[in-house]
Amino acid sequence: MEPGTVVWRETAQSLLRQKWLIMGCILLGLLGASVFALSQTERWTASSQLVIGPAVPPALVGKLSTSADKSGPLGMDLPAETQARVMASPTLLKAVVKALGMPDNDQTIQDLAAVTRVKAVTDNAYLVTTDGPTAQKAVDRANAIAVIYLAQRNTEAKSLLTNLAEQAQARSKTATTQSRSLVSQIDEAVGRGDNQTAAALRDQRVGLATEARQAADDAAAMLKALSTVGAGSQLVTPATTDTASSSPMVARDILVGGILGLVLGFGLALLRSHLTPYILTRDQAARASSAPVIAASEGHRRRVWRRSAPELPQYEITALGAEASGALARRELNPRAFAAGAPGALLVVSASPTPNSAGIALAMAEANARDGRETLLVLADIEGTPVLPHLTGHEGLTDLVNEPAATRAIRARKLFRPGTVADLYVLPPGLNHEETAEAVGPSLVPGIVADLPPGYSVVIHGPASVGRHGITPLAAAVDASVLVVQVGLDKEMDVARLTGALQFAGAPVLGVVLIGTSPQDETLGIPLNYKPLDAGAQPMR
């Protein structure tokens, strides 16, 4: 299988495991969007389009000599973006408020400015969009903005043309007056015989006459242009009444909320899956233990805040133990061959306290005994939950602490109790719960196992850490071990450290019994670096 396929498969599995989180985020997004949409004030939108033609002919404005004559911003052909800002400005909207009979105050003008949008579509075409509490009021506002702007622009243009025409007429009269005053000066120069001065005055009089005629023509042109002001400006597309409000759009908001919830759910699910330190899949368990998963049960409980190991029903524990024992007996794992004639010993251990590991150890011992081998089950978990109620009150492992070394083996065999099936014997934890007995008791297990008669198979159940000695005392008594891993409870780092400790102590992990796997986890649970040992190796006896 390609590496990319593995990544996508693990991603899909992690999303399936977090399906309730994703669904919760989607429902949260839908609920939030619904509350937001339904809490919005009903709002209607209307749009009008207007076209603006030239106000003052540029040819006339260009003939003026001073910039002061070019005053009047609405009457001039301003840039498109500037005119769009003027339409949406509070100055113009104040006139709109008065025209529509709205309250004439600053708050009303600011509210109208907040919902008014003017866009320059082209250099002379504009789209005015505004909102209102009703469809008709939105239409009235959009049309009023366009009409009032056109009217004010025409008024300003006419005022500018009138002002410019008056200025031109004044210049014409001034030039004419000055021209007439030169007649007497010319006559005096001729009477004195000063022909040169007379010629200069005549030229000056001609220039003043020309200037007077030009100013008169400009004034006439500007007065004529008054009749054409606003001819190219009109409201081409008045606003019309909508049949549906623009806000709230409940369906759209709920759809957006659902999409955002889905994205949030996917993100949280992937983040939680990749950042969680707990083992969630078969592949993670196999990778942490460097051993394949030999038995697994599906989990039905989801742990969110309080993480615990739910106790499996007895029939499920028995099935898991039988499956794990059968995998070892059939050499599916190709375990290493044990020394000829020596008893085979197996340690069943979990990385965290769980009531299920003791039950699986008992089930594996029962399966081994049913195959006709005398089997001893050593319950070295001093503080664990009793798996055999009828042995709770008997002496056991901790009571051997004060026994002399010479007679300890004989006394230990006398403490063996019949198990649940034939050929199964059990060494219980014992009655002595003193601190010394609980600390030293597990260290006696290697001597007890070594003193057993030939032919015994031993299954030991113990915690991951035993007093000050760690896992070493129990690992020294066995040839191999089996890990019981609880999905969502055991951390990957803890399992990896326990695996390393067992390997170092001479009790390599042969397989993993996984409890609580997800139904979506369809992987085999075999580590990528796993290599079967010699196929001719003998199975565990």
Side-chain angles (χ1 to χ4, degrees), residues 172-183:
S172 177
K173 291 180 180 179
T174 301
T176 301
T177 302
Q178 293 176 352
S179 175
R180 290 175 180 175
S181 66
L182 293 177
V183 175

Side-chain angles (χ1 to χ4, degrees), residues 279 303 308-310 352 354 356 484-490 514-516:
I279 290 179
R303 292 162 296 278
S308 61
S352 58
T354 168
N356 299 315
V484 178
V485 177
Q486 179 77 39
V487 170
L489 178 66
D490 293 329
L514 196 60
I515 299 175

Side-chain angles (χ1 to χ4, degrees), residues 25-27 29-30 33 252-263:
C25 291
I26 294 175
L27 292 177
L30 294 175
R252 181 201 64 184
D253 293 342
I254 291 178
L255 177 61
V256 172
I259 295 175
L260 293 178
L262 179 64
V263 174

Side-chain angles (χ1 to χ4, degrees), residues 76-289:
M76 302 296 294
D77 292 323
L78 302 175
E81 293 296 333
T82 303
Q83 296 202 59
R85 294 190 182 96
V86 171
M87 288 186 214
S89 65
T91 302
L92 182 72
L93 295 180
K94 186 175 182 180
V96 175
V97 168
K98 291 182 179 179
L100 296 178
M102 300 172 64
D104 188 7
N105 53 58
D106 293 339
Q107 185 62 41
T108 304
I109 297 173
Q110 292 177 4
D111 293 341
L112 182 58
V115 297
T116 300
R117 301 169 295 278
V118 179
K119 179 182 179 181
V121 182
T122 62
D123 291 341
N124 63 338
Y126 301 86
L127 181 66
V128 179
T129 304
T130 187
D131 301 331
T134 64
Q136 186 59 46
K137 288 185 176 180
V139 170
D140 294 341
R141 292 179 180 182
N143 290 334
I145 292 173
V147 171
I148 290 176
Y149 177 75
L150 292 177
Q152 288 193 4
R153 188 169 185 270
N154 292 340
T155 300
E156 292 287 343
K158 290 179 180 180
S159 176
L160 177 62
L161 285 173
T162 301
N163 184 29
L164 296 178
E166 291 176 354
Q167 293 179 11
Q169 289 174 350
R171 291 196 302 274
S172 177
K173 291 180 180 179
T174 301
T176 301
T177 302
Q178 293 176 352
S179 175
R180 290 175 180 175
S181 66
L182 293 177
V183 175
S184 60
Q185 297 178 14
I186 293 173
D187 292 340
E188 292 177 357
V190 171
R192 292 193 306 268
D194 189 355
N195 295 329
Q196 184 177 0
T197 301
L201 292 175
R202 288 190 188 95
D203 294 339
Q204 185 177 0
R205 185 171 181 272
V206 171
L208 289 174
T210 303
E211 181 181 352
R213 286 194 301 272
Q214 182 64 43
D217 293 341
D218 291 343
M222 291 177 184
L223 293 175
K224 182 179 180 181
L226 284 173
S227 60
T228 61
V229 170
S233 302
Q234 60 179 331
L235 180 62
V236 293
T237 308
T240 57
T241 304
D242 290 341
T243 58
S245 63
S246 61
S247 176
M249 300 183 66
V250 180
R252 181 201 64 184
D253 293 342
I254 291 178
L255 177 61
V256 172
I259 295 175
L260 293 178
L262 179 64
V263 174
L264 177 63
F266 276 4
L268 291 179
L270 292 176
L271 189 65
R272 184 181 179 189
S273 298
H274 286 81
L275 295 184
T276 179
Y278 300 98
I279 290 179
L280 301 176
T281 64
R282 288 181 173 89
D283 284 344
Q284 285 180 316
R287 180 172 61 248
S289 62

Side-chain angles (χ1 to χ4, degrees), residues 193-499:
D194 189 355
N195 295 329
Q196 184 177 0
T197 301
L201 292 175
R202 288 190 188 95
D203 294 339
Q204 185 177 0
R205 185 171 181 272
V206 171
L208 289 174
T210 303
E211 181 181 352
R213 286 194 301 272
Q214 182 64 43
D217 293 341
D218 291 343
M222 291 177 184
L223 293 175
K224 182 179 180 181
L226 284 173
S227 60
T228 61
V229 170
S233 302
Q234 60 179 331
L235 180 62
V236 293
T237 308
T240 57
T241 304
D242 290 341
T243 58
S245 63
S246 61
S247 176
M249 300 183 66
V250 180
R252 181 201 64 184
D253 293 342
I254 291 178
L255 177 61
V256 172
I259 295 175
L260 293 178
L262 179 64
V263 174
L264 177 63
F266 276 4
L268 291 179
L270 292 176
L271 189 65
R272 184 181 179 189
S273 298
H274 286 81
L275 295 184
T276 179
Y278 300 98
I279 290 179
L280 301 176
T281 64
R282 288 181 173 89
D283 284 344
Q284 285 180 316
R287 180 172 61 248
S289 62
S290 300
V293 176
I294 57 177
S297 68
E298 291 185 357
H300 304 285
R301 297 184 184 180
R302 288 289 166 257
R303 292 162 296 278
V304 181
W305 302 111
R306 180 176 178 272
R307 294 187 175 272
S308 61
E311 188 170 358
L312 298 178
Q314 187 59 43
Y315 71 89
E316 192 167 353
I317 291 180
T318 302
L320 286 175
E323 184 180 355
S325 181
L328 296 177
R330 291 191 301 271
R331 287 189 286 184
E332 293 181 3
L333 305 175
N334 292 325
R336 64 173 184 169
F338 302 133
L346 182 70
L347 174 63
V348 178
V349 65
S350 60
S352 58
T354 168
N356 299 315
S357 59
I360 291 173
L362 173 61
M364 294 185 68
E366 289 177 345
N368 200 44
R370 288 193 186 96
D371 291 339
R373 293 185 290 273
E374 286 187 306
T375 304
L376 173 63
L377 173 62
V378 180
L379 299 176
D381 190 354
I382 308 300
E383 299 178 355
T385 304
V387 292
L388 297 173
H390 65 284
L391 298 178
T392 302
H394 288 82
E395 295 179 327
L397 182 61
T398 57
D399 298 292
L400 297 175
V401 174
N402 297 324
E403 186 71 23
T407 60
R408 187 174 293 157
I410 299 174
R411 176 68 186 281
R413 283 193 292 271
K414 290 181 179 180
L415 297 179
F416 294 171
R417 304 299 175 187
T420 53
V421 297
D423 295 329
L424 175 62
Y425 302 93
V426 180
L427 179 59
L431 297 174
N432 195 340
H433 296 293
E434 297 178 359
E435 183 178 355
T436 302
E438 292 182 353
V440 179
S443 63
L444 303 179
V445 174
I448 296 173
V449 174
D451 290 335
L452 288 176
Y456 262 92
S457 293
V458 181
V459 177
I460 303 174
H461 173 255
S465 178
V466 182
R468 300 188 302 268
H469 307 283
I471 198 64
T472 304
L474 299 181
V478 300
D479 303 290
S481 58
V482 170
L483 284 184
V484 178
V485 177
Q486 179 77 39
V487 170
L489 178 66
D490 293 329
K491 295 183 179 180
E492 189 170 355
M493 180 62 68
D494 294 340
V495 173
R497 293 177 63 183
L498 178 58
T499 300

